[in-house]
């Protein structure tokens, strides 16, 4: 534990004990506050085939079976990442917001297909080769479309963490 969050190093991660199964076309909304280091290897948060954020060379990604790039993060900078994705769909899409602003070229971006059936949520990685190195201050997962509520949720989180 670090001031304001959890510090993940090497292959540390947390798995939910609850298992999730989503119907076709389910919307998942995720809000995460984190500080990226320069040693990330892969996942901040993963739900079966749906890897919400994956990092290599400071790139932000949403992934189902297709890699949807959402720009680069600045190492050492605290950011609010918001993803609203349509999952379990052959045409799955996602929108990625950084600090409340839609990241360029990510509106309804193709994240590919995959199935979430009886799967845990993995926070901080999913194994020895796919771990997050850095701080995770907060993660909120909704198994519903929070598009209408997103501006208010983003504003509240940004205010709480003094993110501009």
């Amino acid at each position: 534990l670090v001031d304001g969050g959890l510090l993940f190093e090497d292959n540390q991660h947390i798995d939910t004990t609850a298992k999730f199964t989503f119907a076709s076309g389910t919307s998942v909304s995720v809000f995460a506050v984190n500080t990226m280091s320069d040693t990330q290897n892969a996942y901040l948060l993963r739900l079966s085939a749906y890897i919400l954020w994956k990092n290599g060379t400071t790139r932000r990604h949403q992934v189902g079976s297709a890699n949807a790039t959402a720009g680069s993060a600045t190492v050492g900078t605290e950011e609010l990442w918001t993803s609203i994705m349509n999952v379990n769909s052959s045409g799955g899409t996602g929108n990625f917001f950084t600090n409340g602003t839609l990241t360029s070229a990510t509106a309804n971006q193709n994240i590919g297909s995959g199935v979430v059936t009886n799967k845990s949520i993995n926070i901080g990685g999913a194994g020895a080769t796919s771990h997050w190195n850095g701080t995770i201050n907060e993660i909120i997962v909704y198994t519903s479309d929070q598009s209408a509520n997103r501006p208010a949720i983003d504003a509240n989180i940004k205010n709480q963490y003094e993110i501009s």
Side-chain angles (χ1 to χ4, degrees), residues 27 29 31 84-85 95 97 144-153:
S27 289
S29 304
F31 301 80
I84 300 177
M85 300 189 309
N95 292 293
F97 300 82
S144 60
D145 185 349
Q146 294 297 311
S147 296
N149 300 323
R150 185 204 52 80
I153 296 169

Side-chain angles (χ1 to χ4, degrees), residues 20 22 26-32 45 47 52-53 82-87 121 138-147 149-150 152-154 156-157:
F20 298 88
F22 295 146
T26 296
S27 289
V28 176
S29 304
V30 179
F31 301 80
L45 189 139
L47 178 57
L52 300 185
W53 295 296
T82 302
S83 173
I84 300 177
M85 300 189 309
N86 177 278
V87 299
I121 294 177
E138 183 168 354
I139 294 179
I140 304 168
V141 179
Y142 295 92
T143 57
S144 60
D145 185 349
Q146 294 297 311
S147 296
N149 300 323
R150 185 204 52 80
I153 296 169
D154 280 350
N156 185 52
I157 294 170

Side-chain angles (χ1 to χ4, degrees), residues 2-5 7-8 21 54 62 108 111 117-118 128 137 153 159 162:
V2 294
D3 185 25
L7 175 63
F8 289 85
T21 298
K54 174 181 162 180
Q62 300 175 97
N108 297 314
I111 60 167
T117 303
N118 199 33
N137 291 337
I153 296 169
N159 183 56
E162 299 178 351

Side-chain angles (χ1 to χ4, degrees), residues 10-75:
D10 299 319
N11 68 353
Q12 300 168 327
H13 64 280
I14 299 169
D15 297 335
T16 61
T17 55
K19 304 285 185 175
F20 298 88
T21 298
F22 295 146
S24 178
T26 296
S27 289
V28 176
S29 304
V30 179
F31 301 80
V33 176
N34 70 90
T35 303
M36 184 175 290
S37 77
D38 59 357
T39 57
Q40 268 77 32
N41 190 32
Y43 314 138
L44 170 63
L45 189 139
R46 178 174 175 255
L47 178 57
S48 183
Y50 293 94
I51 303 160
L52 300 185
W53 295 296
K54 174 181 162 180
N55 182 20
T57 63
T58 69
R59 301 293 288 178
R60 304 180 196 104
H61 301 285
Q62 300 175 97
V63 181
S65 61
N67 196 354
T69 301
S72 295
T74 302
V75 172

